[in-house]
Amino acid sequence: MPAGTLYRGREGMWSWVAHRVTGVLIFFFLFVHVLDTALVRVSPEAYDEVVATYKTPIVALLEYGLVAAILFHALNGLRVIAVDFWSKGPRYQKQMLWTVVGLWVVLMAGSVYPVLGHAARELFGS
């Protein structure tokens, strides 16, 4: 391993990084969500303006990214629990990771049209 290299690039390390990144993204979403919801107490008109900005195709794409982050974080979290509490978990952690990734890809692919189709129709007027 070269000096100064933190990540070795193996599946376990990258799943650890992805789990942390998705967790931080979810936290920031929740923080913004709490702030914009609290705005209704300060100024209902300002709240309505903020919510109106959320009805754009770009925000729909961001929402799809949020769904992707939550889904990966949840599935990988179940894998982490299995690795920690199942006696054979460490032995099968790589196979479980690829199962998580495969399941995540299938579920995300299945949700592309329902989630982003609406945004595309609004953007292109179909």
Side-chain angles (χ1 to χ4, degrees), residues 35-110:
L35 288 179
D36 72 4
T37 304
L39 188 59
V40 77
R41 303 274 298 168
V42 177
S43 170
E45 296 80 20
Y47 172 79
D48 289 340
E49 288 178 28
V50 169
V51 169
T53 65
Y54 293 162
K55 297 176 182 176
T56 64
I58 292 172
V59 174
L61 187 62
L62 292 172
E63 287 174 343
Y64 186 71
L66 176 65
V67 169
I70 291 170
L71 185 61
F72 177 81
H73 195 79
L75 293 172
N76 193 55
L78 293 173
R79 183 190 70 86
V80 169
I81 290 169
V83 169
D84 287 346
F85 293 106
W86 180 36
S87 63
K88 296 180 183 178
R91 183 180 322 151
Y92 296 110
Q93 71 89 18
K94 188 185 294 189
Q95 292 90 333
M96 287 189 291
L97 173 62
W98 288 114
T99 301
V100 163
V101 170
L103 189 57
W104 179 81
V105 166
V106 166
L107 291 171
M108 290 307 299

Side-chain angles (χ1 to χ4, degrees), residues 1-10 13-14 16-17:
M1 179 170 81
T5 300
L6 181 61
Y7 301 112
R8 297 180 187 169
R10 303 296 307 170
M13 182 61 76
W14 288 113
W16 181 87
V17 170

